[in-house]
Amino acid sequence: LEDSDPEVVYKVEMENFQAASQAEQVDDAKMHYDRAMAARNCLPHFNLDGLWVGKYGNHGYELINITYVGDTMMAFKVTGDASVPRGEISFQANLSPFQPRMINVNGELPEDDELDPIILTENAAKKWGTNELPRHKGLGQVAEKGFQNNQWMEGQLIIIGEQYFSFAWVPIEHQIFFGRPSPELVLKMLREGGASSVKDKTWEEPPSMDDDVNILKDYVASCLEKTTETIEEDLLGDTFSCIWHGAETEECYFE
């Protein structure tokens, strides 16, 4: 198995691990589990942990944090918008090498065959360094303003190596491209995201020390935002220059 595809190794060793566990063969189970995890660590779609940034249409750029629950990838919003706020799940994907299974949300993945990879044109293959892009079934969350009538819909996670990926909300034909943000961009977006609730507020006079603590926090956040705005523009220049956007386009595409 050492010369095999890591995806194949991961699946085979997990099957061996489950069989050894059921037979109460502790040493064998540990050996197969360790081999499975070694293969799993070689798979790009299991190495997306951490912060990513993407453009959510008219809502603008938002930060998400990727984590894993077993073989399910979860994307939590770090900065949110009027429809799906921060702290909520933006999307998730089933990365299990076995048959599709229900994800622990208000929806179930289709029970059809695995998705075929996207075959790239010659020019696109040169640009991305690969001939095809793996796809995985997922669920994307949508909601009306104020996180009303939130629901899950069919989605697809598209892997582009270890540097980029996209997620598509299939029924509404909406796709977001994600890249790694720079540390400076993360700080800027966290400041803006943290002060999002006060952006439309004006302070004719500072709050008193007797006011609610949340009001005091909002006031401090608004002061911080105003203080750092000009400095950040000088230091960062083009805020999103750290992300490749394609040739003369506002969005990020594969071709």
Side-chain angles (χ1 to χ4, degrees):
L1 288 175
E2 292 180 357
D3 297 327
S4 301
D5 183 340
E7 188 87 49
V8 175
V9 176
Y10 179 49
K11 181 176 181 180
V12 170
E13 290 296 344
M14 284 304 295
E15 290 174 339
N16 293 337
F17 163 71
Q18 292 172 2
S21 297
Q22 291 175 357
E24 298 184 352
Q25 298 171 346
V26 178
D27 292 339
D28 285 348
K30 183 180 184 305
M31 176 188 68
H32 290 303
Y33 181 80
D34 290 343
R35 289 178 178 176
M37 292 302 102
R40 189 181 193 267
N41 290 336
C42 296
L43 298 171
H45 48 281
F46 281 117
N47 288 282
L48 302 176
D49 312 68
L51 296 175
W52 296 81
V53 62
K55 189 174 183 182
Y56 279 71
N58 294 331
H59 293 299
Y61 290 93
E62 298 184 25
L63 280 175
I64 60 169
N65 183 53
I66 297 292
T67 188
Y68 295 90
V69 179
D71 287 338
T72 300
M73 190 193 83
M74 315 282 286
F76 289 88
K77 283 200 171 185
V78 178
T79 60
D81 52 58
S83 298
V84 181
R86 59 183 176 176
E88 299 294 340
I89 298 174
S90 180
F91 56 86
Q92 55 185 299
N94 177 22
L95 306 179
S96 172
F98 303 104
Q99 291 297 316
R101 54 182 170 73
M102 182 180 291
I103 292 182
N104 190 23
V105 293
N106 300 325
E108 185 176 359
L109 291 174
E111 292 294 336
D112 53 359
D113 295 334
E114 295 181 0
L115 297 171
D116 293 329
I118 297 174
I119 306 301
L120 298 180
T121 64
E122 184 177 351
N123 289 335
K126 291 180 180 178
K127 179 182 296 182
W128 297 109
T130 182
N131 294 320
E132 59 183 36
L133 305 178
R135 293 186 294 166
H136 303 272
K137 295 174 184 177
L139 293 169
Q141 185 165 210
V142 295
E144 297 176 2
K145 188 174 182 180
F147 200 49
Q148 298 297 310
N149 299 322
N150 62 302
Q151 58 182 298
W152 296 91
M153 63 175 56
E154 178 186 356
Q156 293 183 12
L157 173 71
I158 304 169
I159 303 296
I160 317 165
E162 298 180 2
Q163 300 299 319
Y164 304 97
F165 72 88
S166 79
F167 190 87
W169 285 253
V170 176
I172 59 176
E173 299 182 349
H174 181 63
Q175 181 171 272
I176 298 178
F177 184 97
F178 293 90
R180 289 289 191 185
S182 66
E184 294 84 2
L185 177 56
V186 170
L187 290 174
K188 178 177 175 62
M189 295 185 71
L190 287 176
R191 288 192 185 107
E192 292 180 346
S196 60
S197 62
V198 300
K199 282 190 175 207
D200 296 330
K201 254 183 205 179
T202 57
W203 302 88
E204 294 182 0
E205 59 182 30
S208 71
M209 295 303 295
D210 296 327
D211 284 324
D212 183 80
V213 65
N214 290 323
I215 295 178
L216 296 174
K217 287 181 179 178
D218 287 349
Y219 179 70
V220 172
S222 67
C223 293
L224 175 62
E225 182 179 3
K226 290 180 181 296
T227 303
T228 59
E229 187 177 37
T230 303
I231 298 175
E232 287 174 340
E233 287 178 356
D234 292 338
L235 290 176
L236 302 182
D238 181 3
T239 304
F240 296 96
S241 61
C242 55
I243 303 173
W244 188 85
H245 290 253
E248 299 181 358
T249 62
E250 295 181 355
E251 304 290 344
C252 304
Y253 297 103
F254 301 131
E255 302 192 38

